[in-house]
Amino acid sequence: MSQATARAHSNIALIKYWGKRRGPRNLPAVGSISVTLDALYTDTTVVFDSALDADRAELDGRPADAARLTAFLDLVRERAEIDTRASIVSANNFPTGAGLASSASGFAALALAASTAAGLELDPRELSILARQGSGSAARSIFGGFAEMYRGEQDDGSDAFAEPMLAPADWPLEIVVAVTDLAAKAVNSSIGMSHLDRRSDYYGAWVEHSEGDLAAMREAITARDLETVGALTEMSCLKLHGLMMSTRPGLIYWNPATVAAIQAVRGLRAAGIPVYFTIDAGPQVKALCAPGHGEAVARELESVPGVLETRRSALGPAARLRA
Ligand code: 2P0
């Protein structure tokens, strides 16, 4: 038996990933830039055990569908030249599958725990490539602080990985997550973003403008220019949701509280608080703000009708092994 436990944190994209290029295992059609969240994480233990005749998985104390996980473990087994089955025990400290990027933290933690338990010593880039093969956004959760995921050009995905941009201490922004619905989302991201070239008339424009958006965001982050980072973040979010709404069948992830929270963020900004919203494939609103404003932002978002709870977070660390 060999085992390892890893913790990886969720991340939120400021410039969004949506859409895949042709090829296997989550080759993104566009690059993305994200921040890793300290307050939201997944702990995963993997045990390779020759007594098992099939992979077993448990998520948050309940049996989980092992099929997607077995496909992922097969990548690790192939590389380590073993065929031992594994038991995976994983827990999120936040709601799973509700637009809080549990697949990002989940597959990043699994990549690190499974590769280590299998005896592989992967460097961060190799880990990022491995995590991407579980879920595209997981490639970014290998790193802390700000990270950029590259689209890559190769058919084998060898250049589709993330890299760190800034450590949390380099620009210690705060994030407030406003939860508006705890249920798992109706359409998961992989399905929502499948075959977009055939399903949305806006997709070509989304891909065409992505390099410009990424370049502008890189420049704003390097300059620590929160106003520009925030404007680009809201633009990429709204462009993503415009694309989702334009997809046949139209995808609407928002509820009334999502819209109310957007307005509340803009209201705070009009009152002089540097805060900007973003939203992933779900109804939760994430507010990015300057250091020291998290408490006021959380208080305001908690007063929005339909907001169930808020979570405050600093920028988080890279994925790491735990004893
Ligand atoms: C992102 N999202 O950049 C975008 C914005 C959601 C909206 O990446 O199919 O779970 O596993 O690669 O990574 C969610 O998609 O999709 C996502 P797969 P994933 O964070």
Coordinates of all heavy atoms in Angstrom, one line a residue, residues 11-18 20 26 32-34 68 101 103-104 107 132 134-138 140 185 188-191 193 240-241 244 279-282, ligand 1:
N11 N -10.1 28.1 -7.2 CA -9.7 29.3 -7.8 C -10.8 30.0 -8.6 O -11.8 29.3 -9.0 CB -8.4 29.1 -8.7 CG -8.8 28.5 -10.0 OD1 -9.3 29.1 -10.9 ND2 -8.4 27.2 -10.2
I12 N -10.7 31.2 -8.8 CA -11.7 32.0 -9.6 C -11.0 32.7 -10.7 O -10.0 33.4 -10.5 CB -12.4 33.0 -8.7 CG1 -13.3 32.2 -7.7 CG2 -13.2 34.0 -9.5 CD1 -13.9 33.1 -6.6
A13 N -11.5 32.5 -11.9 CA -10.9 33.1 -13.1 C -11.3 34.6 -13.2 O -12.5 34.9 -13.0 CB -11.2 32.4 -14.4
L14 N -10.4 35.4 -13.4 CA -10.7 36.8 -13.7 C -10.8 37.0 -15.2 O -11.7 37.7 -15.7 CB -9.5 37.7 -13.2 CG -9.1 37.5 -11.7 CD1 -8.0 38.5 -11.3 CD2 -10.3 37.7 -10.8
I15 N -10.0 36.4 -16.0 CA -10.2 36.2 -17.5 C -10.6 34.7 -17.6 O -9.8 33.8 -17.3 CB -9.0 36.5 -18.3 CG1 -8.6 38.0 -18.1 CG2 -9.2 36.2 -19.8 CD1 -9.5 39.0 -18.7
K16 N -11.8 34.5 -18.2 CA -12.4 33.2 -18.1 C -12.0 32.2 -19.1 O -11.8 32.6 -20.3 CB -14.0 33.3 -18.2 CG -14.6 34.2 -17.2 CD -14.5 33.7 -15.8 CE -15.4 34.5 -14.8 NZ -15.2 34.1 -13.4
Y17 N -11.9 30.9 -18.7 CA -11.8 29.8 -19.6 C -13.2 29.3 -20.0 O -14.0 29.0 -19.1 CB -11.0 28.7 -18.9 CG -11.3 27.2 -19.3 CD1 -11.2 26.8 -20.6 CD2 -11.6 26.3 -18.3 CE1 -11.4 25.5 -20.9 CE2 -11.8 25.0 -18.6 CZ -11.7 24.5 -19.9 OH -11.9 23.2 -20.2
W18 N -13.5 29.1 -21.2 CA -14.8 28.5 -21.6 C -14.6 28.0 -23.1 O -14.3 28.9 -23.9 CB -16.0 29.4 -21.5 CG -17.3 28.8 -21.5 CD1 -18.3 28.9 -22.5 CD2 -17.9 28.1 -20.4 NE1 -19.4 28.2 -22.1 CE2 -19.2 27.7 -20.8 CE3 -17.5 27.7 -19.1 CZ2 -20.1 26.9 -20.0 CZ3 -18.3 26.9 -18.4 CH2 -19.6 26.6 -18.8
K20 N -13.4 24.4 -25.6 CA -12.2 23.5 -25.7 C -11.8 23.4 -27.2 O -12.7 23.4 -28.1 CB -12.5 22.1 -25.2 CG -12.9 22.1 -23.7 CD -13.2 20.8 -23.1 CE -13.8 21.0 -21.7 NZ -14.0 19.8 -20.9
N26 N -9.5 18.1 -22.2 CA -9.6 19.5 -21.7 C -8.5 20.4 -22.3 O -7.7 21.0 -21.5 CB -9.6 19.6 -20.2 CG -10.7 18.7 -19.6 OD1 -11.7 18.6 -20.2 ND2 -10.4 18.1 -18.5
S32 N -6.5 31.6 -19.7 CA -7.3 32.2 -18.6 C -6.3 32.7 -17.5 O -5.2 32.3 -17.4 CB -8.3 31.2 -18.0 OG -7.7 30.0 -17.7
I33 N -6.8 33.6 -16.7 CA -6.0 34.1 -15.5 C -6.9 34.1 -14.3 O -8.1 34.5 -14.3 CB -5.6 35.6 -15.8 CG1 -4.5 35.6 -17.0 CG2 -5.0 36.2 -14.5 CD1 -4.0 36.9 -17.4
S34 N -6.4 33.6 -13.2 CA -7.2 33.3 -12.0 C -6.5 33.8 -10.7 O -5.3 34.0 -10.7 CB -7.5 31.8 -11.9 OG -6.3 31.1 -11.7
R68 N -15.2 8.8 -13.8 CA -14.3 9.9 -14.2 C -13.0 9.8 -13.5 O -12.0 10.2 -14.0 CB -15.1 11.2 -13.9 CG -14.3 12.5 -14.4 CD -15.2 13.7 -14.2 NE -14.5 14.9 -14.6 CZ -15.0 16.2 -14.4 NH1 -16.1 16.3 -13.7 NH2 -14.3 17.2 -14.8
A101 N -16.2 26.1 -8.1 CA -14.9 25.5 -8.6 C -14.4 24.3 -7.8 O -13.2 24.2 -7.5 CB -13.8 26.6 -8.7
S103 N -14.4 21.3 -8.9 CA -13.6 20.5 -9.8 C -12.2 21.0 -9.9 O -11.3 20.2 -10.1 CB -14.3 20.3 -11.2 OG -14.2 21.4 -11.9
A104 N -12.0 22.3 -9.7 CA -10.6 22.8 -9.8 C -9.8 22.4 -8.6 O -8.7 21.8 -8.7 CB -10.7 24.4 -9.9
F107 N -9.6 18.2 -8.6 CA -8.6 17.6 -9.5 C -7.2 18.0 -9.2 O -6.2 17.2 -9.4 CB -9.0 17.7 -10.9 CG -10.0 16.7 -11.3 CD1 -11.4 17.0 -11.4 CD2 -9.7 15.4 -11.6 CE1 -12.3 16.0 -11.8 CE2 -10.6 14.4 -11.9 CZ -11.9 14.7 -12.0
R132 N -5.1 19.4 -15.4 CA -5.9 19.8 -16.5 C -6.6 18.7 -17.1 O -7.8 18.8 -17.6 CB -5.0 20.5 -17.5 CG -5.8 21.1 -18.7 CD -5.1 21.2 -20.0 NE -5.0 19.9 -20.6 CZ -3.9 19.3 -21.1 NH1 -2.8 19.8 -21.0 NH2 -4.1 18.1 -21.6
G134 N -7.9 16.3 -15.7 CA -9.1 16.0 -14.9 C -10.2 17.0 -15.1 O -11.4 16.8 -15.3
S135 N -9.8 18.3 -15.0 CA -10.7 19.4 -15.2 C -9.8 20.6 -15.6 O -8.8 20.9 -15.0 CB -11.4 19.7 -13.9 OG -12.4 20.7 -14.1
G136 N -10.3 21.3 -16.7 CA -9.4 22.4 -17.2 C -9.0 23.4 -16.2 O -7.8 23.8 -16.1
S137 N -9.9 23.9 -15.3 CA -9.6 24.9 -14.4 C -8.7 24.4 -13.2 O -8.1 25.2 -12.5 CB -10.9 25.5 -13.8 OG -11.7 24.4 -13.2
A138 N -8.6 23.1 -13.1 CA -7.7 22.5 -12.0 C -6.2 22.8 -12.3 O -5.4 22.9 -11.4 CB -8.0 21.0 -11.9
R140 N -4.9 25.5 -12.9 CA -4.6 26.7 -12.2 C -4.4 26.6 -10.7 O -3.7 27.3 -10.1 CB -5.6 27.8 -12.6 CG -5.8 28.1 -14.1 CD -6.7 29.3 -14.3 NE -8.0 29.1 -13.6 CZ -9.2 29.1 -14.2 NH1 -9.3 29.2 -15.6 NH2 -10.3 29.0 -13.5
K185 N -25.4 22.7 -9.6 CA -25.9 23.3 -10.8 C -26.5 22.3 -11.8 O -26.2 21.1 -11.8 CB -24.8 24.1 -11.5 CG -23.6 23.3 -11.9 CD -22.4 24.2 -12.2 CE -21.2 23.4 -12.5 NZ -20.0 24.2 -12.3
N188 N -23.5 21.0 -16.0 CA -22.1 21.1 -15.6 C -21.3 21.8 -16.7 O -21.7 21.8 -17.9 CB -21.6 19.8 -15.1 CG -21.1 18.8 -16.2 OD1 -20.7 19.2 -17.3 ND2 -21.2 17.6 -15.9
S189 N -20.1 22.2 -16.3 CA -19.3 23.1 -17.2 C -18.9 22.3 -18.5 O -19.0 22.9 -19.6 CB -18.1 23.6 -16.5 OG -18.5 24.4 -15.5
S190 N -18.5 21.1 -18.4 CA -18.0 20.3 -19.5 C -19.1 20.2 -20.6 O -18.9 20.4 -21.8 CB -17.6 18.9 -19.1 OG -16.6 18.9 -18.2
I191 N -20.4 20.0 -20.1 CA -21.5 19.9 -21.1 C -21.8 21.3 -21.6 O -22.0 21.5 -22.8 CB -22.7 19.2 -20.4 CG1 -22.4 17.7 -20.1 CG2 -24.0 19.3 -21.2 CD1 -23.4 17.0 -19.2
M193 N -20.0 23.8 -22.1 CA -19.0 24.3 -23.1 C -18.7 23.4 -24.3 O -17.8 23.6 -25.0 CB -17.8 24.8 -22.4 CG -16.9 23.7 -21.8 SD -15.3 24.3 -21.3 CE -15.6 24.6 -19.6
L240 N -18.5 36.1 -20.8 CA -18.8 34.7 -20.7 C -20.2 34.4 -20.6 O -20.8 33.5 -21.2 CB -18.0 34.2 -19.4 CG -18.4 32.8 -18.9 CD1 -17.8 31.7 -19.8 CD2 -18.0 32.5 -17.5
H241 N -21.0 35.1 -19.7 CA -22.4 34.8 -19.5 C -23.2 35.2 -20.8 O -24.2 34.6 -21.1 CB -22.9 35.5 -18.2 CG -22.4 34.7 -17.1 ND1 -23.1 33.7 -16.5 CD2 -21.2 34.8 -16.4 CE1 -22.4 33.1 -15.5 NE2 -21.3 33.8 -15.4
M244 N -22.7 32.2 -22.8 CA -23.5 31.1 -22.3 C -25.0 31.3 -22.7 O -25.7 30.3 -23.2 CB -23.5 31.0 -20.8 CG -22.1 30.6 -20.3 SD -22.0 31.0 -18.5 CE -20.7 29.9 -18.0
I279 N -18.5 36.0 -11.9 CA -19.5 34.8 -11.7 C -19.0 33.7 -12.6 O -18.7 33.9 -13.7 CB -20.9 35.3 -12.0 CG1 -21.3 36.5 -11.2 CG2 -21.9 34.1 -11.9 CD1 -22.4 37.3 -11.9
D280 N -19.0 32.5 -12.0 CA -18.7 31.3 -12.9 C -19.9 30.6 -13.3 O -21.0 31.2 -13.4 CB -17.7 30.4 -12.1 CG -16.3 31.1 -12.0 OD1 -15.9 31.7 -13.0 OD2 -15.7 31.1 -10.9
A281 N -19.8 29.3 -13.6 CA -20.9 28.5 -14.1 C -21.9 28.2 -13.0 O -22.0 27.0 -12.7 CB -20.4 27.3 -14.9
G282 N -22.5 29.2 -12.4 CA -23.4 29.0 -11.3 C -23.9 30.3 -10.9 O -23.5 31.3 -11.5
Ligands
2P0_1 C1 -13.1 29.3 -15.4 N1 -15.1 27.9 -15.5 O1 -12.2 29.8 -16.1 C2 -14.4 29.0 -16.1 C3 -15.4 30.1 -15.9 C4 -16.5 28.2 -15.2 C5 -16.7 29.5 -15.7 O2 -13.4 26.5 -15.8 O3 -14.7 20.6 -18.6 O4 -14.9 22.6 -14.5 O5 -13.6 20.2 -16.4 O6 -12.5 21.5 -18.2 O7 -12.8 23.5 -15.5 C6 -15.4 25.5 -15.2 O8 -15.0 24.5 -16.1 O9 -14.5 22.4 -17.0 C7 -14.6 26.6 -15.5 P1 -13.8 21.1 -17.5 P2 -14.2 23.2 -15.6 O10 -13.0 29.0 -14.2

